Amino acid sequence: MSNKFVYIDESGNLGSDGRYFTIAAIEINSADHQKLIRNMKRITGQVKRMFPNVATSRGEVKAANSNVIIREYVIRKIIKSYFVIRYITVDLTKIDKVLLKNQNILYNYLVSYIVKPTIKKLGSGDNVSFYIDERNQAVKNGFNIDEYIKHIAWFEMRKYELNLQVKSVKSHKFEGIQVADFIVHAIECKFEYECELFLDKIRPRIGTRQHFPYKEFGK
């Protein structure tokens, strides 16, 4: 029986600033999960001791607020743990304005590219827990992001016997989301700022990548 944990975070925004928007996930087996959580606690603890002013008011070390030294240190340390990265990057200049006006629908649709590869590999009796950085996303048919992922698994993909949980969580309380934050920031920097320094370090962990709405950009 398989038991997986998936942490999902985003970088950029859907149209108000910048050209690209990225959603990324880290997928990890139960055997490696607690080790990753302990490592991230230790890593961020070290960062806060070296850079006392870097943490948010809630005590979280975020990639966007960190300098190059911190980001390189965190990425170099967390990549020693084994997990699979899945991501989708959107070129917002190629997205229809109707979709940009309905950002909740677009966001949920993009997340489907992240979760489907994980769900596809799982079978009857397997367990998977999705943790998403807290965000109240709803689509017109009434699904929030939690319900939307369950709809994908149970109805679209017919994984009726899959034990699935989806939780929207506060990032400062979940080290797995904090790992995903540094990962997604590394990917977004490649597209938005043409900086591949951090992407090169995580490239061996990338299992699924999608460039939307067409596949050619970013290669």
Side-chain angles (χ1 to χ4, degrees):
M1 181 178 69
S2 178
N3 190 9
K4 293 185 179 296
F5 298 84
V6 180
Y7 294 92
I8 300 174
D9 200 8
E10 65 193 60
S11 183
N13 60 79
L14 288 174
S16 60
D17 184 37
R19 177 174 177 177
Y20 298 102
F21 177 74
T22 300
I23 304 174
I26 61 166
E27 174 192 314
I28 190 164
N29 293 319
S30 58
D32 302 306
H33 181 242
Q34 284 305 313
K35 181 179 179 181
L36 176 67
I37 299 305
R38 289 194 301 269
N39 284 348
M40 193 58 177
K41 284 183 179 179
R42 177 178 52 81
I43 292 164
T44 55
Q46 291 170 341
V47 168
K48 285 186 280 188
R49 286 192 292 273
M50 292 186 291
F51 301 90
N53 298 322
V54 71
T56 67
S57 60
R58 293 180 172 181
E60 181 181 356
V61 178
K62 297 186 71 68
N65 299 337
S66 300
N67 60 32
V68 173
I69 295 172
I70 295 172
R71 293 200 296 267
E72 192 280 333
Y73 177 77
V74 174
I75 290 290
R76 176 163 46 87
K77 292 292 185 179
I78 62 176
I79 208 64
K80 293 179 181 179
S81 300
Y82 183 76
F83 51 82
V84 176
I85 298 169
R86 307 188 190 282
Y87 80 85
I88 180 168
T89 294
V90 181
D91 184 345
L92 297 169
T93 65
K94 305 299 181 181
I95 299 294
D96 192 280
K97 291 182 180 180
V98 173
L99 291 176
L100 292 177
K101 289 180 180 179
N102 293 274
Q103 293 182 5
N104 296 336
I105 298 174
L106 177 59
Y107 178 86
N108 286 10
Y109 176 71
L110 296 173
V111 167
S112 71
Y113 283 91
I114 300 296
V115 304
K116 283 182 177 180
T118 297
I119 294 171
K120 184 178 180 180
K121 298 186 301 180
L122 299 174
S124 177
D126 286 343
N127 302 288
V128 59
S129 298
F130 291 98
Y131 295 87
I132 302 176
D133 192 11
E134 194 172 70
R135 173 187 183 110
N136 185 21
Q137 293 291 338
V139 292
K140 285 184 177 179
N141 59 11
F143 288 174
N144 58 32
I145 188 63
D146 304 3
E147 294 168 335
Y148 185 61
I149 292 176
K150 292 176 182 177
H151 173 83
I152 290 171
W154 293 336
F155 292 92
E156 289 187 22
M157 303 184 73
R158 299 184 181 182
K159 298 281 186 171
Y160 309 118
E161 303 300 323
L162 179 63
N163 298 316
L164 183 152
Q165 289 187 333
V166 185
K167 298 180 180 180
S168 297
V169 299
K170 298 181 184 300
S171 59
H172 69 281
K173 294 183 177 180
F174 285 80
E175 285 76 13
I177 292 289
Q178 294 167 31
V179 173
D181 169 62
F182 275 84
I183 295 298
V184 74
H185 188 270
I187 297 167
E188 178 73 0
C189 281
K190 189 270 187 191
F191 293 98
E192 198 67 66
Y193 307 112
E194 298 183 354
C195 174
E196 298 194 33
L197 172 63
F198 306 111
L199 180 62
D200 286 341
K201 294 181 182 300
I202 68 173
R203 212 180 291 274
R205 294 281 186 267
I206 297 175
T208 303
R209 70 174 189 169
Q210 177 73 32
H211 299 154
F212 186 84
Y214 56 98
K215 297 180 179 180
E216 288 75 20
F217 88 82
K219 289 189 177 179

